[in-house]
Every structure is written in structure tokens, then in C-alpha cells.
Amino acid sequence: MTHPLRLGIAGLGTVGVGVVSIIRRKTALLSARAGRPITISAVSARSRNKDRGVSLDGYAWEDDPVALARRDDVDVFVELMGGSDGPAKAATEAALAAGKDVVTANKAMLAIHGHTLAERAEAEGRVIRFEAAIAGGIPVVKALSEGLAGNSVTRVMGVMNGVCNYILTRMESAGLPYAEVFGEADRLGYLEADPTLDVGGIDAGHKLALLAAVAFGVRVGFDDVELEGIDRISVEDIGQARDLGYRIKLLGVAQMTARGLEQRMSPCLVPAGSPLGQLEGATNMTVLEGDAAGQIVLRGAGAGQGPTASAVMADVIDIARGCRIPVFGQPAATLKRAQPAKSVAPAAYYLRMALQDRPGALARIATVLGEAGVSIDRMRQYGHDTPTAPVLIITHETTRDALDRALDGLGRTGVLENDPVAIRIENV
Ligand code: NAP
Ligand code: HSE
């Protein structure tokens, strides 16, 4: 019989348990598809005695993931602990040094150390695969690095954080407050160990930077992603957007321009009837544009046990089959350092502000916008029984620079109760 591919799995949380469960339930199917059995030699997590709802019988236990990564009976180290540094990075490095391939779902680690780890893997003749790190069960890395390998990619974009989409859509559909929806997302296993990574847009920014590296053949440049989270979006914004025919999505866009690489992850209003606008719950969507293939749209579950474990297994099976692709789709030495560029494409903006309810306040706002070169498309002051007047403005298309000048000026008027909420409108 062909020799088995032997895994060492570090991390037995949401994703790790999903992987163990697939391997236990689908032994024959995996073996048939991979052309050899896929087995687990050893596992590691923090607490040995925790009931994980899946049998670990027959697997050796290691308290230390680094020791697991070095075991002689492990061919592939499966890193499912998380964290950009610490044990995840130490064990990944130990695995590569010991001649093991690595499969990981850890976008934080790869967004920060991906290039160095790729160089190290290639120096050792090993691969690192990370399908599960981006958009859960959607095979987007495979689509870019294999399916679209003959294209020059012009743009990648999408909704890539399940928690944020879940929170935004559930607040709208159930009229539930943020805290309650956040608790639901936690129970469903969508949240990162540090949830500010999710709601701060950082997790989605990690994913966008990784996708951009594969799409454009550049070194991962997470520090250059223009980032904004969903933490300032209120139920009021969600309702106002709906009344205008839009929904709010945390949208990522990366595109190579003559000025350099633009990478932006921020909440946007998108038309409610568009494919992105219709995304519900933890569903993700990635849109890939190639010069030969045109636009490819992939939609699916972006988080959770089954979808993420599915992506991990795709990578494991590829390794078992002998499919060996450089970490970011081409040798690390050929990945260019991208020149970061600020997005300059004009867009309309949604502005919501709380105005002191006194003569001339609204006129002052209109003047400041006009002086910054920002033209108003629609404006309304809606009903209130508070001393401040809620005002909503939709601008005509304008540049981010002009908008920033306007926001600066608005802050100095003395008629605003707090900083305005400004959300880009993307007619995608
Ligand atoms: P999780 O439920 O918090 O599980 C983390 C696991 O790692 C736990 O089993 C924990 O052990 C173990 N662990 C943590 N520190 C350790 C250490 N020092 N030594 C040994 N084991 C350690 O996390 P998760 O949701 O499965 O996520 C795992 C990875 O997948 C992360 O990189 C995450 O970003 C990524 N990811 C998650 C999802 C998702 O939907 N959850 C989707 C895509 C990617 P104990 O159980 O004993 O505490
Ligand atoms: N917290 C992440 C999300 C998990 O919600 O998308 C999947 O990467």
C-alpha cells in the first residue's frame, strides 16, 4: 500500500476539531482522492483534558507544538492555533527546519511574516499552504494561483470577514443591538481569539494583503492596507443606508495601478440589489478580475468549523497528491516589493453627523463642504427630540483627499457634536 501522509495537528479549537472530524469520518474518500491514506500521528493544544466532542484515540499528545512539529512520524504540520507570533510562528519555523510541509489557517501570521516564511520554506524545499486563511470555505487561493495562473490580475475585491458581515446583516434583519449579535457570532465560532481583529477590519486586511500578494506577484504588504473597521457603524447608519437602497459591507479592494498597489479595506455602502449587497450572515464573496478570464465571482461560507476545515483538507490533499506550488504562487525571490498607492478613484460618500440645532449651523456645514470642493447630492435633517439635529448628506463623487479636507473643516466649525461618520458608496 502507498505510504500514508501523516499529519501533526496543533490547535484543537473550532477549526482543528473540524479537521479531525473530517479525517475520522471520511477515511476511505480521502484516501481515494489523495491516492494514499491521510492519517493523524499526533495532536497538540493547551489543555489535554478538555472534552472536544471528537475522539482523539490513537493520536499521540504533545503539550508543546514545537515538539509536535519536529516529530519523526509527522510529514505535514497543520497549524491551527492562531496568533501572528508566539507558538504558531515558532512551531511553523520548527516544522520547516525539520523538513515538514505546513498547512495553516493563520492569516495573521502570514500577513506579517509570510514573505520570510515563504523564503524559509523554499530554502528547505517545503511548501506552506493557506487556503483556509482567506474567505473560509471559498477556494480563492487555488482559483488565483492555479485557475487564473495565465492571467494578469487587474483587481481583487470582496467581503472577507464573516463576523463583520454577520453582525451587519443581523443588526439589520433582526433589529438586534450590536452586543447581542456579537454574542451570537461568538457562539457560532466565527470570532478570532481577539475579536478586535474582526471588527477593527484587521483580519479582513490580513486576508486582502495575502490575496494581493498572490494576485499581483508582490510581497505581502499588510502595513500598506488602508484600514477601517465596522466599530463606528450604528443601527442608525444601517437603517439610513437601507432607506437609500444600500447595505453596508466591509469591502476590500486591491488593484495595481500605474502609481502602485492600492489596498483598501473599509465599510462601504453597496447597492442592496447587487451580489455584494445581497450577502447574508457569515457569507463571503471574492471577486477576481483577470485580463483574459474577465470577472470571476466566488461566494460561500467565510468562517466556521466545516467550511474552514474543508479548506484545510484541500491543502492537505494537494500535498498528498504531490502538488507543490510556491507559497504565493511564484518563487519568493521573484515577488516584487509593491509601491503602495493611496486610492484616488472618486466616489460618492454618505455623511452622518449630529449638528447643534441653532440658526446657521446647517449653512455652515454646506459652506465647509463647498470650500473643500465637495458637492452635495442629497441632504436631509431628520426628526429628532434631542438638542442635536441628525443630518444626513450624500455627496456627489469626490476624491478622498477632498473629503478629508472637508472632514477637517467640519471638525473646526464648532457646530458638530461629534466626528461625522463618513462611508464610501461603491456602486459595484
Ligand atoms: P480556537 O477555537 O481559539 O482554537 C485555538 C486552538 O489552539 C485551541 O485548541 C487551543 O488550545 C490551541 N492553542 C492555543 N495556544 C496554544 C499553545 N500555545 N499551544 C498549543 N495549543 C494552543 O481558534 P480557531 O477558531 O480554531 O482558529 C484557529 C486558526 O484558524 C486561527 O489562525 C484563525 O484565525 C483561523 N481561522 C479560523 C476560522 C474560524 O471560522 N474559526 C476561519 C478561518 C481561519 P485549547 O483548546 O486547549 O485552549
Ligand atoms: N473571524 C474570521 C471571519 C474567521 O469572521 O471571517 C474566518 O477567517
Side-chain angles (χ1 to χ4, degrees):
M1 188 170 81
T2 321
H3 63 92
L5 185 78
R6 302 163 304 171
L7 311 183
I9 301 179
L12 295 169
T14 304
V15 186
V17 164
V19 170
V20 172
S21 162
I22 290 181
I23 292 172
R24 291 189 82 89
R25 284 186 289 115
K26 298 179 189 282
T27 313
L29 178 140
L30 296 176
S31 177
R33 291 199 174 145
R36 57 200 281 205
I38 292 174
T39 61
I40 300 172
S41 298
V43 294
S44 175
R46 272 179 303 221
S47 349
R48 184 166 188 168
N49 298 321
K50 201 190 252 184
D51 176 8
R52 300 177 187 276
V54 68
S55 170
L56 301 175
D57 288 352
Y59 313 146
W61 178 274
E62 292 281 0
D63 285 325
D64 178 6
V66 171
L68 176 85
R70 291 185 177 135
R71 283 177 69 104
D72 289 339
D73 59 359
V74 165
D75 303 309
V76 178
F77 175 64
V78 183
E79 188 284 303
L80 302 172
M81 296 177 287
S84 58
D85 292 85
K89 178 165 173 273
T92 298
E93 288 169 341
L96 296 173
K100 326 286 185 184
D101 293 321
V102 174
V103 173
T104 180
N106 191 336
K107 51 265 165 155
M109 175 176 75
L110 290 180
I112 292 164
H113 303 293
H115 187 69
T116 314
L117 289 172
E119 286 179 323
R120 194 163 300 186
E122 287 173 24
E124 301 288 348
R126 310 321 310 173
V127 295
I128 302 174
R129 302 293 300 259
F130 60 93
E131 188 66 76
I134 307 172
I138 300 177
V140 62
V141 178
K142 210 173 203 4
L144 268 179
S145 59
E146 296 180 48
L148 296 176
N151 286 251
S152 296
V153 176
T154 48
R155 185 164 69 153
V156 293
M157 59 183 180
V159 168
M160 300 174 210
N161 183 279
V163 171
C164 290
N165 205 55
Y166 180 84
I167 291 175
L168 293 171
T169 54
R170 187 94 173 113
M171 280 169 76
E172 179 183 347
S173 63
L176 288 172
Y178 177 87
E180 199 169 320
V181 177
F182 186 89
E184 285 180 359
D186 196 10
R187 284 191 293 281
L188 289 165
Y190 295 164
L191 286 170
E192 295 302 312
D194 172 4
T196 56
L197 293 178
D198 288 310
V199 295
I202 300 161
D203 172 80
H206 287 153
K207 294 167 180 167
L208 184 70
L210 290 171
L211 267 193
V214 180
F216 303 114
V218 296
R219 295 187 185 196
V220 193
F222 169 67
D223 288 344
D224 301 322
V225 180
E226 295 173 49
L227 266 191
E228 200 184 320
I230 62 162
D231 25 10
R232 289 200 64 213
I233 308 291
S234 65
V235 178
E236 195 176 349
D237 293 315
I238 290 172
Q240 294 294 343
R242 186 191 47 222
D243 291 351
L244 291 162
Y246 291 99
R247 295 183 90 191
I248 301 178
K249 300 288 166 195
L250 181 65
L251 182 69
V253 180
Q255 61 187 342
M256 191 57 87
T257 69
R259 294 170 298 104
L261 177 62
E262 291 180 3
Q263 301 181 89
R264 160 166 59 82
M265 180 61 69
S266 59
C268 293
L269 267 69
V270 301
S274 67
L276 281 165
Q278 288 175 21
L279 280 189
E280 296 291 338
T283 315
N284 282 192
M285 180 176 281
T286 55
V287 180
L288 314 174
E289 293 172 355
D291 60 346
Q295 192 179 73
I296 308 283
V297 179
L298 299 167
R299 179 182 185 280
Q305 187 161 79
T308 314
S310 158
V312 170
M313 289 313 300
D315 283 343
V316 168
I317 292 170
D318 263 359
I319 292 173
R321 288 169 168 160
C323 171
R324 304 184 73 75
I325 295 171
V327 182
F328 293 105
Q330 61 187 65
T334 67
L335 295 166
K336 297 182 288 289
R337 239 183 240 282
Q339 172 68 36
K342 212 173 160 201
S343 348
V344 290
Y349 281 85
Y350 161 107
L351 301 177
R352 182 176 59 78
M353 55 197 86
L355 206 59
Q356 289 171 7
D357 201 357
R358 59 177 163 85
L362 198 53
R364 187 83 194 90
I365 296 303
T367 303
V368 167
L369 288 171
E371 283 169 355
V374 176
S375 169
I376 296 171
D377 179 19
R378 280 174 279 174
M379 168 152 110
R380 79 180 160 110
Q381 178 174 310
Y382 43 103
H384 61 286
D385 48 15
T386 54
T388 58
V391 170
L392 183 66
I393 293 173
I394 304 295
T395 72
H396 280 294
E397 281 201 348
T398 185
T399 62
R400 184 71 218 196
D401 277 351
L403 185 84
D404 285 344
R405 276 199 308 276
L407 292 174
D408 254 16
L410 290 174
R412 287 195 299 269
T413 55
V415 299
L416 292 184
E417 283 303 307
N418 40 39
D419 290 341
V421 171
I423 312 175
R424 189 180 168 96
I425 301 179
E426 285 281 4
N427 284 308
V428 285

